[in-house]
Amino acid sequence: MLLLFQWFWPFLLLYLSAQSVEAQFPRPCTTPDALQARMCCPLWNGSPCGFSSGRGVCAPHPARDLPKPADFRMNWPRVFYDSVCTCWGNYDGFDCGQCLPGWKGPQCLQKHHVDRKEITDLTDEERDTFISSLHKAKQSVSSRYMILTSNDTTVDGNYAFQNASVYDLYVWMHYYSAKPYAGSANNAAHKGPAFALWHRVFLLFIEREIRELTGKQDFYVPYWDWTRTNHCNICTNKYLGGVGKDGRIDSASLFSEWKTICPFQESLAIICIHTNASDPPHLIRNPGKDPVYKTLPTAEDVEEIMKSSVFDTPPFDHTSRNSFRNKLEGFDIPKDSRHLNASMHNLVHRYLNGTMSLVPTAANDPIFMLHHSFIDKLFERWLLNHSDTMYPDSDLVHPSQRARAYMAPFFPLRTNNYYLGMDTQSLGYRYVEHLLRRAAAGNSIRKAAGVLEKSTTSGVQWQWPVLGVFATVMVFIGLGVAIKYKDKIRRRRNTETEEKQSAVDYRVNSLYAAWMTERNKHTDNSPSLPADITSCENISRDATIQSPNEEREKSVDATVEVHL
């Protein structure tokens, strides 16, 4: 028995180091005891990481030697914790108490799916529900997380945590990731290959937290298609607030009450300015008022970047050329008659000319999430046509954005390349095309039919050639649609096959088999766990570990292997 566990834990550590294990500083992990023990393995249903319920395990995650001064985001989260939760099956969350994106139910066995619509396509009821949910998130203190504040990040143990609303937690996460690292212009979520993937995880995070807060399990973040307008058509009180002459949100809008957190600061020593000022800054917008950034990206701009064939190119930063990622982010500017100084994602931020214009503070404005939902839609469209895309594996990539580096500041841990092989369907959502675009397609067909009808009633003898051309065009369109949907069905079948295969991965894995065998021995022969396990999980030696639910093991539809 002792010999078994002498190789078991080194093997576990080796296994977890090759895998991945999502969100901020969980409230239970900010206590002095947790920080001193360097352990973030909160209890779920009475045991760390829901271990006794078969949800996950408290996994060793030893710290590496870090240079001084230490940036807390480097080698996330090794500055803080040696052990974190690794979740099994479809379980997720800092304590394995939630479901992976795309799953729901008490055992996370039911598939969950939402359609993200364009915001102007929402019904009055859907729009009001979305806005009221955002406002509730802004006003409600998060019961699950706290945010980190510090005056000097180079002093060991100088960790100060404070309460934040659910929405301000979201703002802080973007602020934290967007601050430049010391001595560099790089950060964890921008100017590199992680850009679109980090923000995808970010949207999934806030959607799930608002669902937890409101109980509305189908809450989602709609997208704002800025290619179909030449102005901020959602800067009205009907949507996200009209704008006054001073840039303040109109007092008739709920968003006029919103205040910003974490003002922009370049200093490495500042994590988030905690001020007792009675009147922090309000949201500011002056859309189109900056003479350098007075336009929004166009549909032609979008089609131009969609021609890119490579996901990212050396040196994998804001200077990359012929890189889809850098064109989408907006640093690689197309040569056109507008002589722009920014493009795509960046141009929209600049165009709004206010809180949104400084990336570390941008998420304070709720337009931010709608903007990034559309960026995610464009990213997904490109990925569907480039299914063989690989994440760059190069030392030229900044350490915080390398393929195997963990996204800061998410729990449980996710590597930057973790989501690249997953489409939105597998993550529980899809994008619905804008109603106007669908209507335009329908009008084209109706106009063509009208031409045929007119030619028939007028007795013109060339109606048959016209009909033949029209029929030929329709046949080719039909073939195109059929090929597209055949490919879509093939992808879905492949996804389902992968889900079924992955459903048994953790059960046939030698680590899992060894763990099950040893645990069953203890269930049969001993009332307590070996010291090595109990020390990591902080479980009483008198407690008997319950075996995982066998019915769940047989019926799991899918599992995502977690990598540490």
Side-chain angles (χ1 to χ4, degrees):
M1 185 71 64
L2 181 60
L3 181 61
L4 174 64
F5 277 91
Q6 284 178 339
W7 62 260
F8 177 80
W9 281 108
F11 180 69
L12 174 63
L13 180 58
L14 178 62
Y15 170 77
L16 291 171
S17 65
Q19 305 290 312
S20 84
V21 245
E22 202 181 12
Q24 271 8 97
F25 287 91
R27 190 173 288 271
C29 301
T30 61
T31 64
D33 289 345
L35 292 169
Q36 184 174 0
R38 298 184 54 79
M39 184 179 296
C40 185
C41 295
L43 298 179
W44 188 88
N45 200 24
S47 66
C49 312
F51 178 77
S52 63
S53 302
R55 284 182 169 249
V57 65
C58 184
H61 186 61
R64 295 176 180 173
D65 292 333
L66 296 172
K68 299 293 183 179
D71 190 310
F72 292 152
R73 297 164 296 173
M74 297 299 289
N75 294 308
W76 174 262
R78 290 186 172 100
V79 169
F80 301 96
Y81 308 113
D82 292 336
S83 299
V84 294
C85 287
T86 299
C87 305
W88 289 321
N90 293 335
Y91 298 123
D92 198 24
F94 61 77
D95 58 359
C96 303
Q98 295 177 308
C99 300
L100 284 168
W103 298 92
K104 66 179 181 179
Q107 302 297 324
C108 299
L109 297 177
Q110 303 170 34
K111 289 189 176 180
H112 181 248
H113 178 86
V114 296
D115 290 339
R116 288 184 183 172
K117 299 180 182 179
E118 210 275 344
I119 186 166
T120 61
D121 285 343
L122 300 182
T123 65
D124 290 346
E125 181 180 359
E126 289 172 332
R127 183 188 66 249
D128 291 345
T129 297
F130 172 68
I131 291 175
S132 63
S133 296
L134 287 188
H135 196 57
K136 184 173 183 177
K138 181 68 172 179
Q139 294 177 314
S140 303
V141 173
S142 173
S143 63
R144 295 164 46 75
Y145 297 105
M146 301 185 79
I147 64 173
L148 172 70
T149 59
S150 175
N151 290 325
D152 186 351
T153 63
T154 66
V155 176
D156 290 337
N158 186 25
Y159 312 145
F161 297 93
Q162 71 180 71
N163 290 324
S165 72
V166 172
Y167 191 90
D168 285 348
L169 165 72
Y170 162 82
V171 173
W172 177 87
M173 291 170 66
H174 190 260
Y175 164 91
Y176 188 74
S177 70
K179 282 178 64 64
Y181 288 104
S184 121
N186 297 294
N187 61 64
H190 306 83
K191 301 180 180 180
F195 165 70
L197 292 162
W198 190 97
H199 286 83
R200 171 168 288 186
V201 178
F202 190 41
L203 288 176
L204 289 170
F205 170 81
I206 190 58
E207 280 185 339
R208 188 163 66 178
E209 290 305 303
I210 292 181
R211 288 169 189 166
E212 292 273 357
L213 173 68
T214 63
K216 297 179 176 69
Q217 293 306 307
D218 290 332
F219 172 87
Y220 65 89
V221 176
Y223 65 93
W224 175 36
D225 184 350
W226 25 253
T227 66
R228 50 175 297 273
T229 179
N230 61 0
H231 64 286
C232 182
N233 62 332
I234 59 174
C235 293
T236 66
N237 289 340
K238 181 179 178 180
Y239 293 104
L240 299 186
V243 181
K245 293 182 179 180
D246 59 354
R248 290 271 297 271
I249 307 300
D250 190 280
S251 59
S253 169
L254 284 176
F255 299 107
S256 65
E257 304 172 19
W258 285 31
K259 306 292 183 68
T260 62
I261 68 164
C262 300
F264 180 73
Q265 292 287 332
E266 291 287 355
S267 172
L268 171 66
I270 302 295
I271 285 295
C272 180
I273 296 176
H274 178 48
T275 175
N276 293 321
S278 59
D279 189 27
H282 289 77
L283 298 180
I284 297 294
R285 294 186 205 132
N286 291 287
K289 298 292 181 63
D290 187 324
V292 179
Y293 308 104
K294 59 184 179 181
T295 183
L296 287 166
T298 66
E300 290 74 19
D301 293 333
V302 169
E303 296 311 313
E304 181 64 28
I305 72 163
M306 288 298 165
K307 297 175 184 177
S308 304
S309 59
V310 181
F311 176 60
D312 211 349
T313 59
F316 307 106
D317 60 18
H318 68 285
T319 67
S320 295
R321 292 292 176 262
N322 301 315
S323 154
F324 168 76
R325 184 274 311 166
N326 207 29
K327 289 180 179 179
L328 179 65
E329 193 168 358
F331 291 106
D332 191 354
I333 304 168
K335 295 179 180 178
D336 64 7
S337 59
R338 291 181 292 163
H339 303 292
L340 299 174
N341 292 321
S343 184
M344 298 302 291
H345 159 265
N346 290 347
L347 181 57
V348 176
H349 277 279
R350 298 292 190 182
Y351 171 85
L352 287 166
N353 191 23
T355 305
M356 272 276 284
S357 298
L358 295 172
V359 175
T361 64
N364 283 284
D365 191 328
I367 290 181
F368 174 94
M369 58 172 54
L370 306 181
H371 169 41
H372 272 278
S373 188
F374 188 51
I375 292 295
D376 187 64
K377 180 179 185 292
L378 299 179
F379 180 45
E380 181 67 8
R381 175 184 164 189
W382 187 87
L383 285 176
L384 288 175
N385 294 320
H386 300 84
S387 57
D388 58 346
T389 296
M390 301 292 290
Y391 196 96
D393 184 13
S394 170
D395 289 342
L396 292 176
V397 179
H398 187 270
S400 65
Q401 293 199 34
R402 289 177 185 167
R404 305 300 300 171
Y406 298 123
M407 291 181 178
F410 294 101
F411 286 105
L413 306 183
R414 292 285 182 250
T415 57
N416 286 310
N417 66 348
Y418 178 81
Y419 284 101
L420 189 56
M422 304 180 192
D423 60 15
T424 60
Q425 292 278 0
S426 65
L427 295 172
Y429 68 100
R430 73 182 178 100
Y431 288 101
V432 178
E433 286 300 326
H434 195 287
L435 284 176
L436 289 181
R437 291 186 174 175
R438 285 179 279 166
N443 287 337
S444 298
I445 295 174
R446 284 194 292 273
K447 288 179 180 178
V451 169
L452 287 175
E453 181 179 358
K454 183 176 180 180
S455 67
T456 301
T457 57
S458 63
V460 179
Q461 296 301 313
W462 44 262
Q463 70 261 33
W464 295 112
V466 172
L467 180 61
V469 172
F470 178 74
T472 302
V473 170
M474 294 304 295
V475 166
F476 277 105
I477 291 175
L479 286 173
V481 171
I483 292 171
K484 179 180 178 180
Y485 276 91
K486 181 178 179 181
D487 183 63
K488 186 175 182 179
I489 292 172
R490 178 182 61 79
R491 289 173 181 274
R492 184 173 295 174
R493 287 176 177 171
N494 289 342
T495 299
E496 292 173 354
T497 300
E498 291 170 0
E499 289 174 349
K500 291 177 181 178
Q501 291 174 344
S502 65
V504 299
D505 284 347
Y506 76 96
R507 294 193 291 274
V508 301
N509 183 275
S510 58
L511 167 67
Y512 186 83
W515 176 76
M516 285 291 294
T517 300
E518 191 56 34
R519 191 179 62 170
N520 289 337
K521 285 181 181 180
H522 276 277
T523 302
D524 296 337
N525 304 323
S526 173
S528 62
L529 284 171
D532 288 336
I533 290 184
T534 55
S535 62
C536 177
E537 296 166 4
N538 198 24
I539 301 176
S540 170
R541 290 181 177 272
D542 295 328
T544 301
I545 298 300
Q546 301 295 321
S547 61
N549 188 301
E550 293 181 358
E551 181 179 351
R552 173 180 172 273
E553 290 182 4
K554 295 177 182 177
S555 61
V556 169
D557 289 324
T559 184
V560 178
E561 289 193 354
V562 211
H563 301 273
L564 244 180

